[in-house]
Amino acid sequence: QVQLVESGGGSVQAGGSLRLSCAYSGDTYSRYCMAWFRQAPGKDREGVAAIVSSSSSTTYADSVKGRITISRDNAKNTLYLQMNSLKPEDSAWYYCAAVGLSRLSSPTSVRAYAYWGQGTQVTVS
């Protein structure tokens, strides 16, 4: 059974940075496509960034391009989200997601992912 555990959330001032981590266990991590999603109160869950199994391709939401970087360490079974120049509108619960495919046609679609973490909260003031 695949398990995902996020960490690294917290409260920061606008313009600050946070690095989220997602620890993966349960299967061969390197074969999985991974992504970060976020959900603010009263809003739908939205894809923030995704990365294919080989790290050769990444996808970002337009709202975070240039400020946020997704990466993975297949040796450590860990996914990261480096967030810089944070804005109040980045405040949300952030979720790690995984699916047992090396590549996706819609990498930031909620429906594409089979496994989800419990989330970590980010608050930007």
Side-chain angles (χ1 to χ4, degrees):
Q1 182 70 18
V2 171
Q3 292 188 324
L4 305 171
V5 180
E6 301 95 335
S7 62
S11 297
V12 295
Q13 292 187 337
S17 297
L18 280 175
R19 188 195 196 201
L20 306 184
S21 298
C22 172
Y24 171 102
S25 63
D27 199 350
T28 305
Y29 174 69
S30 61
R31 299 193 311 208
Y32 278 64
C33 192
M34 307 290 295
W36 288 97
F37 289 78
R38 67 186 180 187
Q39 188 166 18
K43 294 188 177 182
D44 292 335
R45 190 168 296 190
E46 64 170 348
V48 176
I51 187 166
V52 301
S53 60
S54 65
S55 299
S56 61
S57 177
T58 55
T59 303
Y60 294 93
D62 288 342
S63 59
V64 305
K65 283 181 180 177
R67 301 187 297 118
I68 288 179
T69 302
I70 188 172
S71 62
R72 64 191 294 165
D73 186 334
N74 287 351
K76 296 182 178 179
N77 287 4
T78 304
L79 179 73
Y80 302 101
L81 190 71
Q82 178 67 45
M83 303 190 294
N84 301 322
S85 303
L86 284 164
K87 305 175 181 180
E89 52 263 43
D90 293 318
S91 297
W93 278 88
Y94 282 71
Y95 299 90
C96 174
V99 63
L101 297 170
S102 60
R103 187 176 289 271
L104 294 170
S105 58
S106 299
T108 54
S109 170
V110 171
R111 296 181 179 180
Y113 292 86
Y115 303 100
W116 294 85
Q118 294 300 306
T120 185
Q121 190 172 20
V122 172
T123 303
V124 184
S125 59

